[in-house]
């Protein structure tokens, strides 16, 4: 009888060791699991359930339940984990969140299209004439008055498939929409302009600033549009889209693709949409004092931080009240 109990104890210990070993291996492969969420977690769920039932007396059930909840988060299109995944993918494709697209549809598209070219093809199909006109109307209704005439003319060019002309106007509008956030209005570069805003909002808990993922996408998109190129080496964008304010403004290279116009229009719409999120940073940003041109970045002036804390605190309080 005693030998049987010892055998049972030995088996339980073996099972425990096996589980611990498996979980250690799972930890090492966590990044792979993140990248292959659906397939991996669907296959793991039955296994985890079986383990939970067999080793309940060893108190692994709580850990197993936690992993199962993690699996549910991976599969939930509206979870923070999914949004982090969207952010990473869209930053690789240089897009902001596509106009009026819900998380379920975006998750499906990003799951089925794992490179920039295939994603751009889907965007061409997604932006039907009706949806594009709806986005254009939303932009036009909220643009500052000084941009309305030139924007209308740019849209005429867009509709006539004169995409290069339209793009030049879209660059200038983006540039001016972001000008108010700088201390020096004469500074015409916008590369890195949203990075200090992203860094500032990252101080808060994720549930306080759920817009942080979309803000990161917008920041990355702006950096792509305003990237500086080396004219001496004839450097050009190496990706599918050829959006470049720097090359176009200096007559080096123009983009004449519909996909580039759609990206810029989507960017303009998002800047306008995020006006309240960006508003506390009006007049707060300036370039650092680095002697190296490559190292020059936008920063928040230290003398502005106290005022900024008040502005952002007030904005987040209003946001909480709106949610209630």
């Amino acid at each position: 009888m005693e030998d049987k109990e010892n055998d049972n104890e030995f088996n339980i210990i073996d099972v425990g060791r096996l589980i611990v070993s498996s979980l250690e291996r799972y930890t090492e492969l966590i990044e792979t699991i993140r990248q292959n969420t659906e397939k991996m977690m669907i296959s793991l769920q039955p296994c985890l359930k079986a383990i939970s039932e067999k080793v309940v007396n060893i108190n692994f059930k709580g850990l197993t339940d936690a992993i199962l909840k993690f699996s549910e988060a991976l599969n939930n299109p509206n979870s923070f984990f999914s949004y982090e995944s969207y952010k990473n993918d869209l930053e690789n494709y240089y897009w902001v969140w596509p106009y009026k697209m819900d998380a379920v549809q975006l998750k499906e598209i990003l799951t089925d299209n794992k490179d920039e070219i295939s994603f751009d093809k889907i965007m061409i199909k997604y932006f039907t004439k009706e949806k594009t006109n709806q986005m254009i109307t939303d932009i036009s209704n909220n643009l500052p008055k000084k941009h309305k005439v030139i924007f209308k003319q740019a849209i005429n060019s867009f509709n006539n498939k004169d995409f290069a002309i339209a793009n030049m106007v879209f660059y200038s509008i983006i540039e001016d929409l972001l000008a108010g956030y700088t201390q020096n209005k004469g500074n015409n570069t916008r590369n890195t302009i949203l990075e200090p805003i992203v860094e500032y909002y990252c101080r808060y808990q994720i549930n306080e600033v759920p817009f942080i993922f979309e803000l990161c996408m917008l920041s990355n998109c702006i950096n792509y549009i305003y990237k500086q190129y080396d004219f001496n080496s004839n450097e050009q964008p190496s990706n599918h889209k050829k959006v470049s304010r720097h090359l176009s403004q200096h007559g080096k290279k123009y983009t004449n693709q519909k996909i580039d116009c759609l990206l810029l229009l989507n960017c303009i719409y998002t800047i306008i949409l995020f006006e309240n999120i960006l508003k506390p940073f009006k007049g707060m940003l300036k370039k650092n004092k680095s002697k190296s041109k490559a190292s020059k970045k936008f920063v928040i002036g230290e003398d502005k931080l106290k005022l900024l804390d008040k502005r952002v605190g007030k904005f987040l309080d209003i946001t909480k009240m709106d949610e209630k």
Side-chain angles (χ1 to χ4, degrees), residues 271-312:
I271 293 172
I272 294 172
L273 182 68
F274 277 20
E275 183 178 4
N276 287 335
I277 293 170
L278 300 174
K279 189 175 180 179
F281 298 84
K282 287 279 187 179
M284 293 285 182
L285 307 177
K286 64 179 182 179
K287 280 296 187 80
N288 60 18
K289 296 181 179 179
S290 173
K291 293 181 179 179
S292 167
K293 188 175 180 180
S295 299
K296 279 192 174 297
K297 297 178 64 177
F298 277 99
V299 296
I300 299 170
E302 292 184 8
D303 58 322
K304 303 287 186 180
L305 284 176
K306 286 187 178 179
L307 174 59
L308 181 58
D309 289 343
K310 290 181 181 179
R311 287 183 180 180
V312 172

Side-chain angles (χ1 to χ4, degrees), residues 166-179:
N167 283 338
M168 292 297 292
V169 175
F170 298 154
Y171 292 139
S172 68
I173 290 175
I174 292 172
E175 192 168 308
D176 188 70
L177 288 176
L178 296 174

Side-chain angles (χ1 to χ4, degrees), residues 147-183:
H147 293 311
K148 289 185 181 292
V149 172
I150 193 67
F151 182 71
K152 182 178 179 180
Q153 294 180 8
I155 295 305
N156 287 337
S157 296
F158 173 78
N159 290 333
N160 290 328
K161 299 184 179 180
D162 295 326
F163 302 128
I165 296 174
N167 283 338
M168 292 297 292
V169 175
F170 298 154
Y171 292 139
S172 68
I173 290 175
I174 292 172
E175 192 168 308
D176 188 70
L177 288 176
L178 296 174
Y181 304 105
T182 67
Q183 292 184 27

Side-chain angles (χ1 to χ4, degrees), residues 224-274:
Y224 166 61
I225 294 169
Y226 283 88
K227 178 182 176 180
Q228 300 286 305
Y229 289 89
D230 183 359
F231 293 163
N232 292 325
S233 65
N234 292 320
E235 185 185 10
Q236 296 182 16
S238 58
N239 51 292
H240 178 240
K241 294 179 289 296
K242 305 298 179 185
V243 179
S244 171
R245 183 268 182 195
H246 190 217
L247 295 176
S248 297
Q249 192 72 16
H250 293 279
K252 294 291 183 180
K253 184 75 175 178
Y254 298 99
T255 59
N256 194 37
Q257 299 182 112
K258 183 178 181 180
I259 191 66
D260 298 344
C261 279
L262 292 174
L263 179 140
L264 291 170
L265 281 168
N266 203 167
C267 181
I268 292 172
Y269 169 79
T270 305
I271 293 172
I272 294 172
L273 182 68
F274 277 20

